[in-house]
Amino acid sequence: MSGNAAYDVVVIGGGPCGATAAWDLARAGCSVLLLDRGGRIKPCGGAVPPRLLEEFDVPQTLLVARARAARMVAPSRRAVDMPVGDIGYVGMVDREVFDEWLRVRAEAAGAERRTGTYDSIVRDAAGTAIVRYRAERGGDLREVRARLVVGADGARSAVARAHVPGGERNPCVFAYHEVIRAPATTAQGFDGARCDVLYQGRVSPDFYGWVFPHGETASVGVGSAQKGFSLRGAVQMMREDLGLTRCETIRCEGAPIPLKPLKRWDNGRDVLLAGDAAGVVAPASGEGIYYAMAGGRIAAQTAQAFLASGNPAVLRQARRDFLRAHGRVFWILGMMQYFWYSSDKRRERFVAMCADRDVQQLTWQAYMNKRLVRRQPMAHLRIFLKDCAHLLGLSRPAPQGDLERAVP
């Protein structure tokens, strides 16, 4: 064993959630250690809304592309284009660059940064948490003391499994993507200015596939919770369909993505979960970067309240605060996933519904603002009625002009 340094907070995991929590805590004057494994990049489409850049002071220079439309592709290969319009854009980031920038910023604010693999948490005779980690594979265990440990170590978090009741019961989708060197367009339909989302059982029996532009590169990926389903095979199929098989493959990554927030985020003593470790990835869309950073900020605020009061009961506030801000959106997206992803027949209707102008407008407004739009009650009513009609199979097929074209 080596080391006995003491910190107010040890943050385990240096993704967008952990790095944001460490940044906020350091700026607030807390002594904080950010512990992160080296060489880890999460498979991710890399989409971020403009609100993220504004809310978390992220420079535009980190965007590698700005998508102005999304294309939803049905099982029949019919495609609906959803232009963003004049309300914004979908920013795209490269997680390898983006995550490192966030970690460097936290360090510049005063957080101490170490590279290492978390091992366990034990306690001394006084009950103080001691975080054990290894600086390198097979290396000696090192120890640091902490008044609070923030577990931001991703889905199937080791911190959650060992220290938070129910932390081992976190259902996940497994995601896999290939980052490729991409052309601006291909004859088969790839467009470097558009995000493609494929709702097809052949691509994923219970989730979706994506092709997201990253400027000179692109992320081609898929998610599924079905055991035995070939994620690599699905990605290869998408690359063949879009004429991307000859493009250079830069890197391949896979990881679990949680499906819903855990019922508990703390151990009632000195451990708090955040980000993927707490299960805060949006259902249906799988969007996680914004929610991870929002969760990291809430974890930092909760940590400060805990350090000031010494009362472990305040740790429960993190989950309440997050769900107060985003719980309704998560519930609606969860219902969407349950209903619309269950069969190709329903996926076909879902994509047809995306051609509706009301649906497109409110979808983009909710994405940009990260909340439900309340200013257009009649539009919400119209969408509710259309949604019911599509679900029951009572709606008429969308006009050919709205279902733009069949993907080759």
Side-chain angles (χ1 to χ4, degrees):
M1 300 287 182
S2 62
N4 57 1
Y7 300 87
D8 290 327
V9 183
V10 171
V11 180
I12 299 172
C17 176
T20 299
W23 179 53
D24 280 358
L25 286 164
R27 290 189 299 156
C30 300
S31 61
V32 54
L33 171 65
L34 178 61
L35 178 68
D36 188 55
R37 290 189 292 124
R40 174 198 46 78
I41 310 170
K42 180 182 176 181
C44 177
V48 297
R51 175 174 172 175
L52 180 148
L53 307 184
E54 299 167 4
E55 192 171 322
F56 298 100
D57 297 329
V58 174
Q60 296 267 346
T61 53
L62 284 178
L63 298 182
V64 293
R66 291 174 176 81
R68 299 290 180 178
R71 170 165 289 184
M72 324 299 276
V73 184
S76 66
R77 300 197 179 190
R78 288 283 191 180
V80 171
D81 285 350
M82 299 178 63
V84 177
D86 59 0
I87 63 172
Y89 56 86
V90 180
M92 311 303 298
V93 297
D94 184 324
R95 289 291 300 272
E96 183 176 22
V97 176
F98 182 75
D99 290 16
E100 177 62 11
W101 185 89
L102 294 176
R103 291 189 287 267
V104 169
R105 179 172 70 170
E107 186 176 26
E112 183 177 341
R113 180 180 169 189
R114 297 188 190 180
T115 299
T117 301
Y118 164 78
D119 180 84
S120 59
I121 298 173
V122 297
R123 290 179 175 82
D124 63 14
T128 303
I130 300 174
V131 177
R132 290 178 172 175
Y133 71 97
R134 298 181 190 276
E136 57 187 29
R137 187 183 296 273
D140 293 337
L141 278 176
R142 300 187 178 186
E143 294 182 345
V144 292
R145 297 173 184 274
R147 294 176 63 189
L148 178 69
V149 178
V150 173
D153 52 334
R156 297 180 178 169
S157 156
V159 176
R161 291 198 307 270
H163 299 283
V164 176
E168 75 285 357
R169 297 190 296 273
N170 194 357
C172 293
V173 163
F174 199 84
Y176 169 78
H177 81 155
E178 296 175 2
V179 176
I180 64 172
R181 191 81 60 191
T185 59
T186 66
Q188 291 88 342
F190 172 79
D191 187 338
R194 185 189 67 222
C195 297
D196 289 1
V197 185
L198 286 73
Y199 296 102
Q200 301 174 328
R202 72 191 190 108
V203 169
S204 172
D206 52 356
F207 206 57
Y208 65 82
W210 69 82
V211 183
F212 283 2
H214 288 176
E216 295 181 355
T217 65
S219 165
V220 185
V222 67
S224 176
Q226 182 173 302
K227 292 183 178 180
F229 181 76
S230 176
L231 300 176
R232 290 178 181 271
V235 168
Q236 182 62 30
M237 180 172 56
M238 287 189 288
R239 291 182 64 170
E240 291 172 356
D241 288 349
L242 290 171
L244 301 173
T245 54
R246 295 186 178 181
C247 297
E248 176 191 359
T249 301
I250 298 172
R251 65 178 191 263
C252 304
E253 296 144 1
I257 297 175
L259 288 174
K260 61 181 180 180
L262 290 173
K263 294 186 180 297
R264 186 165 176 178
W265 293 7
D266 69 277
N267 69 342
R269 184 175 183 176
D270 53 10
V271 173
L272 176 65
L273 304 179
D276 282 15
V280 294
V281 172
S285 69
E287 182 189 359
I289 300 176
Y290 173 82
Y291 294 112
M293 295 178 74
R297 174 150 292 172
I298 287 173
Q301 293 166 349
T302 305
Q304 292 174 61
F306 169 77
L307 294 173
S309 67
N311 181 7
V314 305
L315 297 176
R316 302 175 196 162
Q317 193 62 39
R319 187 177 189 275
R320 288 195 289 262
D321 287 349
F322 184 91
L323 293 181
R324 184 180 296 115
H326 305 292
R328 183 172 297 181
V329 170
F330 273 45
W331 183 83
I332 290 173
L333 290 175
M335 294 298 292
M336 284 178 55
Q337 181 171 336
Y338 176 79
F339 282 115
W340 294 118
Y341 293 8
S342 60
S343 70
D344 270 358
K345 184 177 180 180
R346 288 187 176 181
R347 293 185 189 99
E348 195 74 37
R349 292 174 181 164
F350 173 71
V351 172
M353 188 174 66
C354 291
D356 185 271
R357 300 305 182 220
D358 287 331
V359 171
Q360 293 187 9
Q361 183 181 23
L362 292 185
T363 295
W364 284 125
Q365 287 177 347
Y367 174 78
M368 299 299 172
N369 297 310
K370 285 292 167 278
R371 56 183 172 82
L372 298 179
V373 180
R374 301 175 183 272
R375 290 175 297 179
Q376 298 172 294
M378 290 308 297
H380 281 286
L381 177 59
R382 288 195 299 269
I383 289 173
F384 174 75
L385 295 174
K386 292 169 186 175
D387 192 57
C388 291
H390 276 283
L391 183 60
L392 297 173
L394 302 177
S395 62
R396 291 178 296 177
Q400 184 65 32
D402 286 336
L403 285 174
E404 297 290 348
R405 57 182 171 182
V407 175

